Amino acid sequence: MRPFDYVKPADVAAAVRAVATAPGAKFIGGGTNLVDLMREGIETPDTVVDLGGLPLDGVEELPDGGLRIGALVRNSALAADQRVRGRYPMLSQAILSGASAQLRNMATVGGNLLQRTRCPYFYDQAAACNKRAPGSGCDALDGFNRGHAVLGVSEQCIATHPSDMCVALAALDAVVEVESVRGTRRIPVADLHRLPGATPDVEFELAADQLITAVELPPVPVAANSRYRKVRDRASYAFALVSVAAALEVRDGAVTAARLALGGVAAKPWRAREAERLLVGGPASEESFGRAADAELAAATVRPGNAFKVALARATIVATLRDLTHGGSTA
Amino acid sequence: MTEIRMRVNGVVHSLDVEPWVSLLDALRERLGLTGPKKGCDQGACGACTVLADGVRINACLALAVQYADKEITTIEGLAQGGELHPVQQAFIRHDGFQCGYCTSGQICSAVAMLAEHAAGMPSVVSGSAARAELTDAEIRERMSGNLCRCGAYNGILDAIREVATP
Ligand SMILES: Cc1cc2nc3c(=O)[nH]c(=O)nc-3n(C[C@H](O)[C@H](O)[C@H](O)COP(=O)(O)OP(=O)(O)OC[C@H]3O[C@@H](n4cnc5c(N)ncnc54)[C@H](O)[C@@H]3O)c2cc1C
Ligand code: FES
Ligand code: FES
């Protein structure tokens, strides 16, 4: 690993100052992504700013009935929180479907949001990758692209954002709070990750010196009947091929409220707004669920390796909504 | 060089480590505790599992400096007064290993998994359910962060089930 300086600030102001004065600095939360990428020589910070001493590890009630989650809350602690399990079961399930128990015990909410792609060409210094080395090309386009994106892709990059947690957060209209020497900013999670376009190396709507301090969940009554369903190559400890975070309210056979987001299909957690629009007011039937899924997936751009994802996403959306119609919010 | 204090298996150590030294390398190469294994060095196998303040983590993806002032327990620290930990004894009784490379990680992981379960930690198998029984499916899911290339999973499962359901 390339040598670096290490600092451990005791408060947010000091953490933000530490990166403002050192352009090559990186924050470290749990380290489960950053340490890996530093070992591979893909991340090469001059200074690592350890967030472990900051008082950002609580989950608090908001006056409106939402929750404020500190950026350093461990993934396992958030998944176990009774309020999250009761009000936003899809979020607890999404986190529990990711990584392993050991990794969830280490990983922080802030780090999970900003984890980088698992595209094998991004990790392979010998491969062409516009995300890692802008202008070098993209070996995934004609390579091994089974895990890659089908929505919002560009000719420069088809990598996915690998987080499960973010898919639920996007469906729930969560908002990220960010701090820097320039002040405080609030960014909806659905806008935090960028689509690749011509600059796949620019991944977040965030400057390098901005510290995520918290994630806020608004009250989302429909989320009490929600679930996260993840499809992958083995039953556990694998990234999503496709995942679905869905919430549904049905009255007298008609859908009265719906939330839907997809994982494993894009460079960002994909909020399926077109599908939601079609679902609400329509019948709670498989045909209607299928039409909504088709509309959302109509814009898919596939490669030989990942073409199956369109049918898989459709089937997973329909199955998840069907389960929710029958009232089961647990997996 | 950063000087850190770390309690490892009940003994306080003072260590001079560069900030880029992983907790796994610090334990193995500075303290001579070779129980935690380096399987993949990228968080993908669980052979390096140790406990930090009783919580299971992958020591390969941790910087030692992040764990200053924590209490670390490795496989070497599980036995009490010459008596093997009940999970260690169960692994022996049920042949929970073949080559043994994943075993120290499996056992540390299982010890912490049982504590997590007792504290009410949910899993994706039981979803948001209040309290899950440790069925075979639950144990497999909760132990999925520990791979065994020899495929000793049946013995591992038997051993953990026995400790979980006395
Ligand atoms: C083998 C393996 C399997 C995995 N499987 C899955 C999976 O199935 N699903 C899934 O979703 N994830 C999976 N993960 C990824 C895991 O969820 C992430 O590594 C983890 O969430 C990152 O959190 P962290 O705190 O460790 O981040 P770190 O590694 O500490 O940081 C990640 C990035 O975020 C930045 N950062 C951290 N905190 C902040 C902050 N507060 N403000 C600003 N920037 C910050 C860091 O600078 C760094 O760039 C897997 C990881 C591994 C190693
Ligand atoms: S060596 Fe740490 S998980 Fe494989
Ligand atoms: S016993 Fe050989 S890897 Fe598990």
Side-chain angles (χ1 to χ4, degrees):
Chain A
M1 214 183 286
R2 183 169 169 274
F4 52 80
D5 292 330
Y6 171 82
V7 293
K8 189 169 180 177
D11 57 46
V12 168
V16 161
R17 272 200 313 274
V19 290
T21 51
K26 274 289 226 192
F27 295 119
I28 191 166
T32 61
N33 193 219
L34 186 64
V35 170
D36 194 25
L37 291 170
M38 289 194 297
R39 193 171 279 141
E40 297 295 329
I42 294 160
E43 295 275 18
T44 52
D46 300 320
T47 305
V48 168
V49 180
D50 187 351
L51 303 177
L54 305 187
L56 301 175
D57 57 356
V59 180
E60 292 154 34
E61 291 282 350
L62 290 172
D64 64 1
L67 290 178
R68 181 180 167 90
I69 303 157
L72 286 170
V73 172
R74 303 290 158 169
N75 286 189
S76 49
L78 186 58
D81 190 286
Q82 292 295 352
R83 294 161 294 186
V84 173
R85 287 156 76 180
R87 292 180 224 168
Y88 312 98
M90 63 154 79
L91 177 57
S92 175
Q93 292 167 16
I95 294 168
L96 293 171
S97 340
S100 67
Q102 289 94 319
L103 290 161
R104 296 191 294 269
N105 283 338
M106 304 170 77
T108 62
V109 167
N112 192 321
L113 283 160
L114 299 188
Q115 64 172 297
R116 305 194 66 194
T117 186
R118 308 302 289 203
C119 172
Y121 303 104
F122 173 74
Y123 265 79
D124 178 0
Q125 299 268 18
C129 172
N130 288 323
K131 195 184 270 305
R132 173 172 38 73
S136 63
C138 171
D139 275 348
L141 293 176
D142 297 312
F144 182 71
N145 46 37
R146 175 174 166 76
H148 287 75
V150 295
L151 291 171
V153 297
S154 75
E155 279 303 307
Q156 275 71 45
C157 181
I158 56 171
T160 60
H161 190 259
S163 167
D164 292 297
M165 180 190 81
C166 290
V167 182
L169 290 180
L172 294 169
D173 282 334
V175 174
V176 170
E177 195 176 277
V178 164
E179 195 72 31
S180 74
V181 286
R182 299 181 299 287
T184 307
R185 238 182 96 199
R186 291 169 61 82
I187 310 164
V189 168
D191 299 337
L192 180 67
H193 307 83
R194 295 171 54 120
L195 292 175
T199 53
D201 54 310
V202 187
E203 297 175 303
F204 307 106
E205 292 291 342
L206 210 61
D209 67 343
Q210 290 181 315
L211 173 73
I212 296 178
T213 50
V215 176
E216 289 194 357
L217 289 172
V220 185
V222 66
N225 183 41
S226 70
R227 66 174 293 187
Y228 186 77
R229 183 153 176 180
K230 179 174 179 180
V231 184
R232 41 188 157 170
D233 280 331
R234 62 181 183 197
S236 189
Y237 204 11
F239 288 95
L241 290 168
V242 162
S243 69
V244 171
L248 198 69
E249 183 186 74
V250 178
R251 292 233 172 97
D252 302 325
V255 174
T256 45
R259 292 291 176 94
L260 191 68
L262 309 177
V265 294
K268 60 186 293 178
W270 191 268
R271 179 73 180 269
R273 293 194 192 273
E274 176 63 9
E276 287 178 5
R277 198 180 60 76
L278 290 169
L279 285 169
V280 176
S285 67
E286 291 208 14
E287 296 70 47
S288 176
F289 299 158
R291 273 195 301 276
D294 288 337
E296 191 66 47
L297 296 163
T301 305
V302 302
R303 308 255 150 201
N306 67 9
F308 73 98
K309 283 196 176 187
V310 175
L312 184 62
R314 183 190 199 276
T316 311
I317 292 169
V318 171
T320 309
L321 294 173
R322 187 184 54 216
D323 288 352
L324 288 170
T325 305
H326 302 303
S329 67
T330 53
Chain B
M1 239 19 151
T2 311
E3 188 178 329
I4 58 169
R5 273 164 49 92
M6 198 183 274
R7 221 177 136 86
V8 184
N9 298 332
V11 181
V12 177
H13 294 271
S14 192
L15 280 173
D16 272 331
V17 287
E18 294 86 1
W20 51 91
V21 172
S22 71
L23 177 60
L24 180 60
D25 285 343
L27 292 170
R28 289 178 56 87
E29 287 167 30
R30 307 282 169 105
L31 296 179
L33 294 167
T34 52
K37 297 288 184 270
K38 190 181 282 189
C40 65
D41 219 17
Q42 49 188 18
C45 76
C48 64
T49 303
V50 300
L51 313 183
D53 292 342
V55 173
R56 52 179 167 164
I57 61 164
N58 295 132
C60 70
L61 290 187
L63 299 175
V65 285
Q66 289 177 283
Y67 288 80
D69 301 319
K70 300 262 189 220
E71 164 106 48
I72 305 295
T73 306
T74 68
I75 188 76
E76 288 93 338
L78 286 181
Q80 292 291 325
E83 175 110 354
L84 290 180
H85 188 282
V87 175
Q88 290 176 304
Q89 296 182 25
F91 266 65
I92 294 171
R93 262 196 309 280
H94 292 278
D95 280 337
F97 43 80
Q98 199 176 99
C99 77
Y101 200 79
C102 71
T103 312
S104 50
Q106 298 277 4
I107 291 175
C108 286
S109 187
V111 168
M113 182 277 279
L114 294 169
E116 284 170 9
H117 176 256
M121 175 65 68
S123 93
V124 77
V125 166
S126 42
S128 313
R131 186 48 159 260
E133 208 186 311
L134 275 185
T135 59
D136 287 0
E138 277 288 344
I139 295 173
R140 284 182 192 280
E141 165 59 26
R142 289 168 190 262
M143 289 297 296
S144 72
N146 293 84
L147 305 189
C148 173
R149 290 299 296 266
C150 298
Y153 293 112
N154 291 337
I156 294 169
L157 183 63
D158 290 347
I160 296 173
R161 189 197 304 111
E162 183 186 272
V163 183
T165 51

